[in-house]
Amino acid sequence: MSRISTLCSYLDNCNTFADVACDHGYLAQYMLKNNLCEKAIISDISDKSLDKARALLKDYIKSGKCTAVCCDGLKEVKGADLVMIAGIGGDEILKILKDAYIPRNFVFQPMKNAQALRAYLLQNGCKITSDDIFSDGKNYYFVIKGSLSNCVGHYNEYQLAYGRDSLFNPILKEYLTCELDKKLNYLSAQMSEQSRTNLEKDIKFIRGVLENEPDVNT
């Protein structure tokens, strides 16, 4: 299954859907085409990038069912009850949330540094309903789905690093095995003592996940 198709499977019915950093606008197209939302907002920081989504969704824009907004993150995105941010780094998503707000309902697919994003959401009143991993046959992706609920969540170190639900997904073992092989190969390279210490720490942590059955309750 493709990355876009898998991401679509995480989207629920809503009134107004926002596809932030929308690229081609395929997610908004899916929501509108399948009548899963009344309206859609597509946004991107670059007007030139937004033109790709405008072209794809021109009929929906013309009919008033889709609005294109050129802005930095969520700053000009108003009234959406479900927000998707996919295909950018976890640090970038974090910046978007800190500069604007945490959406009422969200699906995030960070390309890297998902751990920091999880920690921020849990510390800021979010209930994470799904925190998993998937593969399109070439790459691995973490996806975090949840809502703003004024609760304080708790993850153990394994859950925070790789996602609560990912720990029971065989795809995580594939991903971690690849990561372990890469890091073991890095050990033969020249590096500072501190870098080697950090690398050995990462290797030990990954082995800990692979060799143990993590308990989600600890």
Side-chain angles (χ1 to χ4, degrees):
M1 187 180 289
S2 73
R3 171 178 161 270
I4 295 297
S5 296
T6 302
L7 289 175
C8 287
S9 71
Y10 282 89
L11 297 173
D12 299 321
N13 290 67
C14 63
N15 182 46
T16 302
F17 170 71
D19 185 2
V20 176
C22 64
D23 195 37
H24 288 85
Y26 294 134
L27 297 168
Q29 181 190 46
Y30 168 82
M31 292 292 285
L32 290 163
K33 187 176 181 179
N34 290 281
N35 297 312
L36 295 175
C37 65
E38 293 296 321
K39 296 180 180 179
I41 300 168
I42 50 173
S43 76
D44 206 295
I45 194 170
S46 163
D47 198 58
K48 185 176 180 180
S49 294
L50 196 55
D51 280 342
K52 294 180 291 186
R54 286 192 184 106
L56 180 71
L57 300 166
K58 60 182 180 180
D59 291 339
Y60 292 109
I61 293 173
K62 187 176 181 180
S63 68
K65 290 185 70 72
C66 182
T67 302
V69 180
C70 183
C71 70
D72 183 0
L74 285 162
K75 289 181 178 178
E76 301 298 328
V77 176
K78 311 295 183 183
D81 47 327
L82 174 59
V83 171
M84 166 73 85
I85 308 179
I88 61 175
D91 288 334
E92 293 175 85
I93 297 175
L94 261 177
K95 184 178 184 303
I96 286 172
L97 302 183
K98 289 178 179 180
D99 287 349
Y101 59 90
I102 298 174
R104 189 189 320 168
N105 299 288
F106 55 79
V107 181
F108 300 141
Q109 184 260 296
M111 297 299 287
K112 58 182 179 179
N113 206 5
Q115 180 172 341
L117 180 58
R118 291 187 187 98
Y120 182 79
L121 294 171
L122 291 169
Q123 292 164 6
N124 286 274
C126 293
K127 179 180 180 181
I128 296 178
T129 56
S130 181
D131 193 353
D132 215 340
I133 188 172
F134 69 92
S135 174
D136 60 2
K138 296 180 181 178
N139 300 298
Y140 297 92
Y141 307 96
F142 291 105
V143 59
I144 304 167
K145 178 178 180 178
S147 60
L148 190 59
S149 62
N150 296 317
C151 66
V152 178
H154 172 73
Y155 269 19
N156 62 38
E157 60 178 351
Y158 290 152
Q159 294 169 331
L160 199 59
Y162 300 117
R164 182 194 61 223
D165 304 311
S166 302
L167 295 176
F168 303 98
N169 188 334
I171 293 174
L172 181 67
K173 185 175 182 179
E174 296 176 13
Y175 167 74
L176 291 179
T177 299
C178 291
E179 289 297 298
L180 182 59
D181 287 344
K182 290 177 187 176
K183 291 181 183 295
L184 287 171
N185 286 331
Y186 292 158
L187 281 176
S188 61
Q190 290 187 345
M191 64 186 75
S192 68
E193 184 176 341
Q194 185 61 55
S195 295
R196 186 169 296 277
T197 298
N198 292 338
L199 183 57
E200 289 172 346
K201 183 179 178 180
D202 290 344
I203 289 170
K204 182 179 179 180
F205 187 81
I206 292 173
R207 280 177 168 159
V209 180
L210 289 171
E211 294 170 3
N212 295 284
E213 191 69 33
D215 182 352
V216 298
N217 296 311
T218 60

